[in-house]
Amino acid sequence: MGSSPFYSITQLRRLQQLNQLYSVGTTQSVTVGELAENLSCSERNVSKLMGTLMDRGWLDWKAGRGRGNLSQVTLLVDFKAVTLKQLRALVGVGQVQTAFEIAEHFDFQIDFKANLSNWLQDAESELRKQNTLIYATPFPLPEWRPMHARSSRSIMLLEGVFDTLLRFDTVTQRVIPHLAHHFSYQDNQLSFRLRSDVYFHDNHRLTAEKVKDNLLIRHNSEHSYKILFRHLESVTIEGQWVHIKLRQHDPVFVHLLADVHSGIFDTEQPTFPNGTGPYSVGMFKSFHWSLTKNHRYFALGGLIDQVEFWETDSSPKAAHFEELRDLSSNNDEDSQVAEQDGGLVLQFIHHNNMLSPEERHWIVNQFRAVEMNMCQANSIMRCHQNEGLYFFTTTSALPRRPVVIEVRHVHRNLLLKVLEQIDVASESWVVVDKGDAHDYSVDIYFDCYVFSEDQAFQYYEWLLTSDVFLRCLSVENQKNMTRFLDEWLEESQTSDDFLLKMHKAENWLIQQFYYCPLWRDDMIFKTSHNLSGVEINAMGVPTLAKMWLD
């Protein structure tokens, strides 16, 4: 048998052809002409090809003498077993990407995913030499387009690939320059000058025109955060300067440009993430994506050269960082909990047959009375958590019909545990997964929000872009909410002033039973012994740029 475990795709394809023709261990009689036809080669090359496959130890071949005489072929190995052995050997020497490409070529992706956790155990030392981080996630490739990403699952990808014009400094709690190395805001105009040493991952230089395109797309196109750009009146450029004229005073607009969802992307490549960030995208599959260090990055970049993200349902023993699904059911002593800012909430959906205020009040009281071994939340944001939660309405009523509750799969088990503790018949609740909710008239959306350290902006963003605003308020109340926020923005000299005013809006939402905070939620994860520099932000997302492998 050959000493090398590595074969070319062409050689493996030959073995695949033989495996489709002959059973392992069974001797077949065949002419040279038949072999040539079956293997798609000339009769002249049959002898050479069969000799090569014999040297590999894949078959035994006895050539027939004379034209037309039968040769004897005995296949000795199974194609799939040989291929999986090759994949394991490649993973073992750190060539995870190459192994996946071969698996994909022969349609063995499912087998590759199923075995990767065990195969990676052989690769630990080699991955350390290559400075490659293996990151196991319980979810597939998240939304990567900055304007459309609504889940915290996208944050690590967005922060790695894209940069923002400005950045929120968590130490000083102020917005500071980033892609723009200088900015000023006065008389409703924001002006900033771009750095001259910034390049997209395809080596094209960042220009003021590109920045203008990004701003206008966000202002004019439909996306999750469009309403936050409503005050933008015009964008003009002058060399490396970009000037934004706003329709009214808006001290939060600079925070908007510092938010990860305002990341600058290449507008000419709408189907592939091309940014200016510390990492560029390599592999881009639903269950496998990779980031490679940008050595041309203008600022302090990451310490890891390559990051391989793999969606997996198992627990990869050799993964350097692993996100776990369920905090309440995990008893692993090696697991760690990351405290998040945000929490689980009830959101009461607006529709023609929506629950009455009395019914919503009853449901809120029932949910908040359930003990879940988590800190009870009085506010969506931790900065307002110390305020008590009181209801002016005291009248409650048991719902007159089954209540339809929509939930994302990740929180389904938690919701069911809550409902089990409420003393009503089980048929009083109809629980539907988010993907199937369109077939129902949903009464409640049970969900979780998490927020970054920029509290004023996050509060503002939640009030105008969350499901509470989009699904729980009538059109008229949406207009009222927007009008109140605009008035408070005009009155506020700073974003901190505005933050204090926004508490009134949340209190109104709670008192009207449009939404109600329940408990704080946390993220649970594991890290390997040789991964250092792990910092988890308020959204429960690790900061990739600060990690390193010992």
Side-chain angles (χ1 to χ4, degrees):
M1 197 136 185
S3 58
S4 173
F6 303 119
Y7 316 120
S8 69
I9 285 181
T10 300
Q11 291 171 330
L12 288 170
R13 193 180 296 121
R14 294 296 190 194
L15 179 58
Q16 183 184 37
Q17 290 173 318
L18 289 168
N19 224 149
Q20 291 169 345
L21 294 168
Y22 311 123
S23 300
V24 176
T26 302
T27 301
Q28 301 287 333
S29 298
V30 63
T31 66
V32 171
E34 290 172 335
L35 277 174
E37 181 180 352
N38 290 334
L39 296 175
S40 303
C41 68
S42 66
E43 292 187 15
R44 181 180 301 177
N45 286 331
V46 166
S47 179
K48 181 180 178 180
L49 176 58
M50 300 305 283
T52 299
L53 298 181
M54 283 184 66
D55 291 340
R56 287 290 183 190
W58 290 351
L59 57 77
D60 184 40
W61 178 61
K62 295 178 181 178
R65 296 184 179 277
R67 185 176 179 86
N69 289 331
L70 297 177
S71 299
Q72 302 296 312
V73 178
T74 306
L75 186 61
L76 302 177
V77 295
D78 176 70
F79 163 68
K80 184 174 182 178
V82 169
T83 305
L84 293 181
K85 182 178 180 181
Q86 160 120 331
L87 300 181
R88 176 167 190 162
L90 287 168
V91 171
V93 296
Q95 296 185 36
V96 184
Q97 182 62 47
T98 302
F100 173 73
E101 290 171 357
I102 293 175
E104 188 176 40
H105 182 87
F106 291 108
D107 201 23
F108 286 158
Q109 298 99 313
I110 295 176
D111 300 275
F112 184 84
K113 282 184 64 179
N115 288 284
L116 183 62
S117 297
N118 294 323
W119 293 346
L120 281 172
Q121 295 180 66
D122 304 331
E124 185 174 345
S125 62
E126 193 62 37
L127 290 170
R128 189 184 303 117
K129 291 178 187 176
Q130 297 177 9
N131 198 19
T132 296
L133 172 69
I134 301 296
Y135 195 115
T137 80
F139 52 82
L141 175 72
E143 174 61 62
W144 63 267
R145 297 169 299 172
M147 298 187 305
H148 300 280
R150 293 184 59 85
S151 170
S152 61
R153 292 175 170 180
S154 299
I155 299 301
M156 181 179 285
L157 181 58
L158 297 182
E159 288 182 338
V161 177
F162 304 102
D163 283 311
T164 48
L165 294 167
L166 309 173
R167 178 167 287 181
F168 182 77
D169 187 335
T170 59
V171 176
T172 64
Q173 295 288 297
R174 291 292 177 263
V175 175
I176 60 175
H178 191 50
L179 288 180
H181 67 77
H182 171 78
F183 75 99
S184 63
Y185 176 49
Q186 61 183 49
D187 299 329
N188 296 346
Q189 178 168 296
L190 173 63
S191 298
F192 50 87
R193 192 181 193 282
L194 297 180
R195 300 180 60 95
S196 59
D197 55 350
V198 179
Y199 293 83
F200 285 99
H201 296 141
D202 62 0
N203 292 322
H204 286 91
R205 186 166 169 265
L206 176 67
T207 63
E209 288 80 5
K210 288 282 190 182
V211 172
K212 179 179 179 180
D213 288 344
N214 268 258
L215 292 168
L216 292 181
I217 284 175
R218 286 174 162 88
H219 180 256
N220 298 326
S221 65
E222 293 301 323
H223 60 94
S224 303
Y225 306 95
K226 180 178 180 178
I227 193 172
L228 304 181
F229 287 85
R230 68 191 181 282
H231 297 148
L232 192 154
E233 182 174 295
S234 64
V235 182
T236 57
I237 58 177
E238 181 184 359
Q240 286 293 93
W241 283 90
V242 179
H243 306 287
I244 302 174
K245 183 67 176 176
L246 300 178
R247 291 189 174 90
Q248 70 157 72
H249 179 61
D250 185 347
V252 183
F253 200 85
V254 293
H255 294 254
L256 171 61
L257 297 184
D259 182 65
V260 65
H261 300 99
S262 296
I264 301 299
F265 62 96
D266 185 357
T267 56
E268 296 178 4
Q269 294 193 36
T271 60
F272 189 82
N274 181 30
T276 66
Y279 286 90
S280 61
V281 173
M283 178 56 66
F284 199 54
K285 301 289 186 180
S286 62
F287 63 88
H288 174 214
W289 59 102
S290 63
L291 302 180
T292 302
K293 184 175 179 177
N294 177 10
H295 291 282
R296 201 178 183 181
Y297 191 52
F298 73 92
L300 182 64
L303 303 174
I304 302 291
D305 287 331
Q306 181 90 0
V307 186
E308 300 276 351
F309 294 86
W310 291 93
E311 181 203 5
T312 175
D313 292 326
S314 59
S315 181
K317 297 178 181 178
H320 298 105
F321 195 103
E322 180 187 2
E323 295 183 34
L324 305 176
R325 291 183 183 274
D326 190 355
L327 175 65
S328 61
S329 64
N330 189 280
N331 299 316
D332 196 322
E333 294 180 357
D334 294 332
S335 61
Q336 303 175 55
V337 176
E339 189 177 77
Q340 298 174 317
D341 191 1
L344 293 151
V345 300
L346 290 178
Q347 300 168 112
F348 294 92
I349 308 304
H350 177 83
H351 55 76
N352 291 333
N353 190 34
M354 65 186 300
L355 297 168
S356 69
E358 293 77 17
E359 291 171 317
R360 284 178 275 164
H361 187 203
W362 182 87
I363 293 171
V364 165
N365 284 334
Q366 295 298 316
F367 269 75
R368 286 182 62 84
V370 172
E371 176 56 52
M372 293 303 296
N373 296 319
M374 291 187 287
C375 176
Q376 194 165 69
N378 293 328
S379 167
I380 189 68
M381 293 288 287
R382 203 174 292 271
C383 62
H384 193 205
Q385 170 67 10
N386 292 333
E387 298 293 328
L389 194 155
Y390 306 102
F391 299 110
F392 299 145
T393 301
T394 58
T395 305
S396 294
L398 188 73
R400 300 182 300 275
R401 56 173 175 77
V403 176
V404 180
I405 307 179
E406 176 186 343
V407 64
R408 287 189 295 139
H409 179 73
V410 67
H411 291 124
R412 183 182 180 91
N413 288 338
L414 177 62
L415 173 62
L416 294 178
K417 290 178 183 178
V418 174
L419 297 180
E420 287 174 359
Q421 298 184 56
I422 297 177
D423 189 21
V424 292
S426 59
E427 54 266 27
S428 300
W429 314 104
V430 179
V431 177
V432 297
D433 288 329
K434 185 172 177 61
D436 301 325
H438 54 81
D439 295 328
Y440 297 84
S441 179
V442 174
D443 297 303
I444 299 173
Y445 182 21
F446 181 83
D447 198 15
C448 178
Y449 291 97
V450 293
F451 303 103
S452 74
E453 289 84 352
D454 190 351
Q455 295 179 341
F457 172 72
Q458 293 287 281
Y459 220 140
Y460 173 62
E461 176 192 58
W462 175 76
L463 284 170
L464 286 179
T465 69
S466 70
D467 285 303
V468 176
F469 180 85
L470 298 171
R471 302 179 64 185
C472 302
L473 298 182
S474 66
V475 173
E476 185 63 30
N477 278 333
Q478 289 177 356
K479 292 178 180 178
N480 291 334
M481 175 69 77
T482 307
R483 178 170 54 84
F484 285 135
L485 291 173
D486 280 345
E487 291 174 358
W488 293 338
L489 281 168
E490 284 279 18
E491 298 169 0
S492 304
Q493 291 301 310
T494 68
S495 57
D496 291 336
D497 294 338
F498 183 52
L499 175 61
L500 296 175
K501 294 179 174 66
M502 286 188 288
H503 296 162
K504 303 177 191 175
E506 183 185 14
N507 287 337
W508 177 76
L509 291 170
I510 293 173
Q511 293 301 326
Q512 298 299 315
F513 299 108
Y514 291 120
Y515 117 99
C516 185
L518 294 174
W519 309 282
R520 298 294 174 205
D521 195 18
D522 291 309
M523 170 194 174
I524 184 169
F525 63 93
K526 294 181 185 178
T527 60
S528 67
H529 65 280
N530 62 334
L531 180 64
S532 301
V534 177
E535 292 185 10
I536 311 294
N537 65 20
M539 299 188 82
V541 178
T543 305
L544 181 60
K546 296 184 178 181
M547 297 184 198
W548 74 89
L549 291 171
D550 293 329

